[in-house]
Amino acid sequence: MLFFSYFKDLVGREVTVELKNDLAIRGTLHSVDQYLNIKLENTRVVDQDKYPHMLSVRNCFIRGSVVRYVQLPSDGVDVELLHDATRREARGS
Amino acid sequence: MSWAGPEDVYLSTSLASYLDKKLLVLLRDGRKLLGTLRSFDQFANAVLEGACDRVIVGDLYCDIPLGLYVIRGENVVLIGELDVEKEELPPHMTRVSTAEIKRVSFTFAQKAEREASDLKGTMKKRMDFLDMD
């Protein structure tokens, strides 16, 4: 639940999602769910020439299971808050 | 952080907004399916109507018609909404027939296999100094 809550706070921020098939997509985080499925808006593909089929895709749904990384702006992370939340979650389980 | 409450467990990034839209579905095996989303569920299983498989080899492409498809969610990588006002593919790409794309993709696959085994060969040669045998 921790990362679900964390991503919910990042809704509206610009992120780059790197998938396990090496495709990287930059876009605005529109929504996230308990499976960490991601919906991005205003998307652009990194290295567009390699993925011509993605040319007209502007919004997409990404299945959580295929995400390798979610790259965030450096000011998107409140490390202290995350640390506290992690400790609380660890204590709870 | 906005803590996930008990009701949030039911929150989902819904595919409902994509219903009846023409979509691009990327599958784990690299296939690119295009079609109209008619149904979905919490596993991202999907029903695509009028589905076709867009095969791209270099600058050539071909849409192979498939009909009504039920896709198991575990194979889904991405579901993208195609902007009708934009070109789906770059202008330099040419559409060819099914027979032609099959021929080209066979040659392409052969070339890729040869390059992979060549790379394996050069790497082996580099490791030879280790004298491990």
Side-chain angles (χ1 to χ4, degrees), chain B residues 114-127:
Chain B
R114 220 180 313 128
E115 280 171 9
S117 69
D118 283 348
L119 181 66
K120 197 174 160 193
T122 57
M123 285 182 83
K124 269 192 145 180
K125 265 185 240 155
R126 268 186 251 153
M127 301 299 260

Side-chain angles (χ1 to χ4, degrees), chain B residues 49-120:
Chain B
E49 192 179 26
C52 63
D53 179 3
R54 180 159 284 172
V55 179
I56 298 175
V57 183
D59 281 344
L60 307 175
Y61 76 97
C62 178
D63 290 347
I64 301 170
L66 301 169
L68 187 66
Y69 252 43
V70 176
I71 305 168
R72 189 179 161 87
E74 63 172 317
N75 299 291
V76 171
V77 169
L78 172 156
I79 298 179
E81 194 183 336
L82 294 165
D83 189 344
V84 289
E85 285 173 21
K86 297 212 162 67
E87 282 300 308
E88 284 176 6
L89 288 169
H92 62 85
M93 296 192 64
T94 328
R95 191 178 175 156
V96 296
S97 69
T98 313
E100 177 66 16
I101 205 81
K102 285 198 174 134
R103 195 188 63 81
V104 178
S105 61
F106 182 67
T107 326
F108 190 80
Q110 276 187 319
K111 182 171 168 241
E113 206 183 308
R114 220 180 313 128
E115 280 171 9
S117 69
D118 283 348
L119 181 66
K120 197 174 160 193

Side-chain angles (χ1 to χ4, degrees), chain A residues 59-78:
Chain A
N59 309 312
C60 63
F61 163 92
I62 301 169
R63 201 169 191 270
S65 60
V66 305
V67 173
R68 184 186 288 142
Y69 305 124
V70 178
Q71 294 159 19
L72 313 163
S74 47
D75 62 344
V77 186
D78 184 338

Side-chain angles (χ1 to χ4, degrees), chain A residues 39, chain B residues 14-25 34-40 45-51 68 79-84:
Chain A
K39 246 184 166 178
Chain B
S14 184
L15 284 170
S17 64
Y18 288 3
L19 276 174
D20 301 328
K21 293 219 166 96
K22 187 175 179 200
L23 307 172
L24 167 74
V25 182
L34 289 108
T36 312
L37 184 70
R38 292 302 189 201
S39 187
F40 67 93
N45 293 327
V47 174
L48 270 190
E49 192 179 26
L68 187 66
I79 298 179
E81 194 183 336
L82 294 165
D83 189 344
V84 289

Side-chain angles (χ1 to χ4, degrees), chain A residues 1-2 4-6 8-9 19 21 23 25 30-35 37-40 52-63 65-66 81-82 85 88-89, chain B residues 1-5 8-15 17-18 24 26 28 32 42-44 54 56 73-74 76-83 86-90 93:
Chain A
M1 279 300 149
L2 194 157
F4 174 38
S5 306
Y6 175 64
K8 279 207 296 168
D9 271 355
L19 308 181
N21 66 357
L23 177 62
I25 305 164
H30 175 268
S31 57
V32 68
D33 67 13
Q34 50 169 323
Y35 306 113
N37 294 331
I38 289 168
K39 246 184 166 178
L40 291 180
H53 51 278
M54 296 286 298
L55 188 64
S56 75
V57 175
R58 281 295 164 270
N59 309 312
C60 63
F61 163 92
I62 301 169
R63 201 169 191 270
S65 60
V66 305
L81 208 61
L82 262 182
R88 245 174 291 154
E89 186 110 342
Chain B
M1 301 212 292
S2 48
W3 286 104
D8 287 338
V9 181
Y10 305 108
L11 260 182
S12 56
T13 295
S14 184
L15 284 170
S17 64
Y18 288 3
L24 167 74
L26 296 185
R28 283 203 337 228
K32 309 155 203 73
Q42 71 268 40
F43 305 111
R54 180 159 284 172
I56 298 175
E74 63 172 317
V76 171
V77 169
L78 172 156
I79 298 179
E81 194 183 336
L82 294 165
D83 189 344
K86 297 212 162 67
E87 282 300 308
E88 284 176 6
L89 288 169
M93 296 192 64

